[in-house]
Structures are given as structure tokens and as C-alpha cells.
């Protein structure tokens, strides 16, 4: 059956569409209610008197699949203020919370248990909005999910997690109440992707806990993005125009390699923004490695060439992460790691597997059987994770480059043929 994707404005509308049969599966970081809790279809304050209140109050509760990722509600605080160790430190303090974070029952329990704490209800505020308020000093404390806090950690620099405030919860999918067969099929699917490693690869690919970098780095990146990046942004954009590689990824590589210093030179003699070797520069026709424009374009072309050397079957984003590893350690050592991963029964086309094999190239029992021998395989793993972290921040803060041929940027896309799958995005 073809799948049709439809976006909705809020969780209440999602549940309502499931109840009326307009949708069969609800997804999007939905939190399965804790055992014995009432379904969280109303807001954290109960029915809020809006025109949709009756709809929410009468909609039958959905059924839930088994969970596929664990999160927990946490208390965040402004790092210029006081870090509480427990609830005893929060008497008379004001804690912000929202009705759409998914922790309504947890917040209600906390309010009942801690009468000395004051609570500020912020209607329809997303977790990111609450985090921004705390980071900017507009609120001292807030309750958000641990996943939201991890994602925002290096974008909003003046907040941190104080402590978890309730038990762990599962992210799951919701289905309409009568969809018993569909629920059983989805549970089988989730069990299968857990068992065969697909879920673990997706978690590694998309969730930030595995690729965080130190706050000090994030602070330095954001400061350099204000002072240095503006004068070089167009060079990265020009390189994207010529190679098709996102300019923000190129900027992330350059920050990791040189902190956007065109005169940077390493101990091994590689120079410039993208730390290109002399041999690579000659091969790419670069005449002056200290010229920022030549260096950025050379780095982009080199990364593109590495991607082209990988087997065609490797899909994105693994193709890019593997090419980044080769950018750091060389395509030969990367292939040695892919062969090693395959010998260990792992799929060598997934970065999550190859990153396990790369550090083993520093051990005699493994590098003695490798084509190119010894390699400091831990370095490309750290390199890729840090570039991915910088890239995440730049994606959040820097606008993408729109293709020059897109003359009518605001024009609606052409209608899809009747019956074709449709994906609607905000």
C-alpha cells in the first residue's frame, strides 16, 4: 500500500485525525502514557476552553505500539543562575512547563508533590521555546524532555540539565482505537528493526547523544560564526554551487580543520581552511593553498571525489559520513576498516558499523591483516562525530543555499499525480 504523509499542527489534531479515520498511524516523538495513566489528549491544564476543547475531550484514546526510544523529563536551569541539586532547593522558585511536551501526567504529579514550588504554564510552547527562554534568562527553570535538551545543547549555550524529575518514558507510535491488526503488525515491525540492528543504526544516525562535543567548542563555534564566518560564507556557498555539497557541511569541516583560519598549518604540513595536503592540492590543480577560495573549493572537490569512490549501493547519509572518515584517514584505510567490519559480521555500508572497526586498525591482531597496515583509526571516528556536531549547529543557525534557478521560491510545488504518495512538510 502507498504511504501518505500528512503533517499536523499539534498533538491534539493528530489524535483527533486518528479518531476520525483521517489517519491510521500517528508519529513524531509521541510519548506513550505511563502504565495506568490517563491518555494525554487534553492539555497539561486540562480542557483549556479553546474551540477544540470538546474535540479533545471526546476523542477516544489511541492504542500505542511498543516503544522504540527512551527519554525522561528533566529540569533545566540557566547556567548564570543557581543549579539546584533536588526539589528542596526550589522552594518559591518558578518552573515553566508546556502542554505539548508530552509530560502532562508527570507535571501534574510533581505539582501535587511539591507545594512550595511555583509553576508557570506556557500554553503551546515547544520544548525548544522553553529551552530558549531559560537560556536567554527569561525563565530560571523549565521541564522538558531529555531528547530535546540533548538536541538543543550546543545551540542554546546558557542552559543545562539539573536533574531528571520523573521516570523514563518510551517514544512510540499511536494508532486508532479499533486498529488492532495494524497495531500487531507495527509491533512486529518494531521488534524486527530492534533485532536486526536497523533501529540502532537510525538512532546513531539521527540522535545527538552519540555525537555531542564539549560546550567550549560550541561556544567557540558560535563566536567564530559571528566574527569570521560572514567574510567567508560566500566562498562556501560558491563551492556548493560547483560541487553540490551543502555549504554548511563544508564550513563544519573547515571549522574542525582550521577554526576558519586561512593561514592554519598543521604539524604535518597540511595548510589552509580545509587542511589539504600538497599532493592532493597538485592533483586538484590548486596553486595556492593559503588562498581561501582555492582551498575551500579543493576540499569540496576532494570530498566529492571520495564519495564517488565508494560503492554506488551506499546510501546517504552514510555515504557522506564514510567519505568524511576517508577525508581524515584516507580511502585505503577506510576500505581496510570496511573489510574488517565485514569479517566481524557487520554491514560495511553503514557508518555505525565502520566506526566500530576503525579503532581496531591500531591493534596488531587486526592491522597485520590489513592491506595498508597500522592506522590511528580512532581519529577519523572523532573527526566525523565532531564535524557532524558542528554541522548540526550550523544547520540550526545558518540559512541553506537556494538553487539559483529557482526563480519563484514561494511558488507551490506542482501537484502530484492522483494516487501518488504525498509527503507534506512544515
Amino acid at each position: 500500500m502507498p504511504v501518505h504523509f500528512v503533517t499536523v499542527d499539534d498533538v491534539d489534531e493528530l489524535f483527533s485525525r486518528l479518531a476520525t479515520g483521517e489517519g491510521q498511524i500517528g508519529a513524531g516523538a509521541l510519548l506513550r502514557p505511563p502504565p495506568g495513566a490517563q491518555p494525554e489528549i487534553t492539555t497539561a491544564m486540562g480542557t483549556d476552553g479553546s474551540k477544540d476543547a470538546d474535540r479533545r475531550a471526546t476523542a477516544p484514546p489511541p492504542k500505542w505500539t511498543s516503544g522504540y526510544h527512551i527519554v525522561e523529563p528533566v529540569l533545566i536551569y540557566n547556567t548564570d543562575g543557581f543549579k539546584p541539586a533536588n526539589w528542596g532547593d526550589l522552594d518559591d522558585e518558578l518552573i515553566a512547563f508546556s502542554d505539548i511536551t508530552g509530560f502532562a501526567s508527570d507535571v501534574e504529579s510533581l505539582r501535587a508533590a511539591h507545594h512550595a514550588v511555583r509553576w508557570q504554564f506556557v500554553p503551546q510552547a515547544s520544548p525548544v521555546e522553553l529551552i530558549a527562554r531559560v537560556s536567554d534568562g527569561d525563565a530560571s527553570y523549565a521541564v522538558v524532555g531529555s531528547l530535546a535538551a540533548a538536541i538543543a545543547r550546543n545551540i542554546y549555550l546558557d542552559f543545562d540539565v539539573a536533574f531528571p524529575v520523573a521516570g523514563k518514558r518510551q517514544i512510540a507510535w499511536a494508532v486508532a482505537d479499533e486498529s488492532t491488526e495494524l497495531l500487531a503488525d507495527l509491533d512486529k515491525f518494531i521488534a524486527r528493526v530492534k533485532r536486526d540492528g536497523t533501529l540502532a543504526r537510525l538512532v546513531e544516525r539521527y540522535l545527538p547523544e552519540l555525537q555531542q562535543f564539549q560546550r567550549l567548542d560550541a561556544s567557540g563555534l558560535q563566536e567564530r560564526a559571528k566574527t569570521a564566518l560572514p567574510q567567508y560564507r560566500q566562498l562556501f556557498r560558491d563551492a556548493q554551487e560547483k560541487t553540490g555539497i551543502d555549504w554548511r557541511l563544508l564550513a563544519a569541516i573547515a571549522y574542525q580543520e582550521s577554526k576558519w583560519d586561512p593561514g592554519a598549518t598543521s604539524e604535518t604540513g597540511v595548510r589552509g581552511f580545509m587542511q589539504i595536503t600538497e599532493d592532493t592540492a597538485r592533483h586538484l590543480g590548486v596553486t595556492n593553498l593559503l588562498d581561501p577560495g582555492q582551498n575551500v573549493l579543493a576540499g569540496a572537490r576532494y570530498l566529492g571525489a571520495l564519495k564517488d569512490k565508494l560503492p554506488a549501493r551506499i546510501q546517504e547519509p552514510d555515504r557522506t559520513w564514510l567519505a568524511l572518515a576517508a577525508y581524515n584517514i584516507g580511502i585505503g584505510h577506510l576500505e581496510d576498516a570496511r573489510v574488517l567490519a565485514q569479517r566481524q559480521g557487520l554491514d560495511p555500508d553503514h557508518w555505525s558499523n565502520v566506526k566500530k572497526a576503525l579503532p581496531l586498525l591500531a591493534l596488531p591482531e587486526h592491522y597485520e591483516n590489513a592491506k595498508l597496515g597500522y592506522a590511528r583509526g580512532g581519529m577519523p571516528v572523532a573527526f566525523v562525530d565532531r564535524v557532524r556536531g558542528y554541522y548540526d549547529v550550523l544547520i540550526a543557525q545558518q540559512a541553506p543555499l537556494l538553487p539559483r534557478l529557482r526563480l519563484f521560491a514561494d511558488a507551490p510545488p506542482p501537484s502530484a499525480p492522483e494516487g501518488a504518495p504525498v509527503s507534506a512538510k512544515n
Side-chain angles (χ1 to χ4, degrees), residues 244-263:
I245 298 174
D246 188 344
W247 77 268
R248 296 167 297 182
L249 177 61
L250 299 175
I253 297 170
Y255 184 79
Q256 165 62 24
E257 294 288 55
S258 67
K259 301 295 187 288
W260 298 326
D261 176 5

Side-chain angles (χ1 to χ4, degrees), residues 7 16 35 68 170 190 201 218 227 248 256 271 285 311 364 388:
T7 58
S16 177
Y68 59 86
Q170 291 270 0
I190 292 173
R201 289 194 295 270
T227 59
R248 296 167 297 182
Q256 165 62 24
R271 296 190 295 168
R388 288 176 64 178

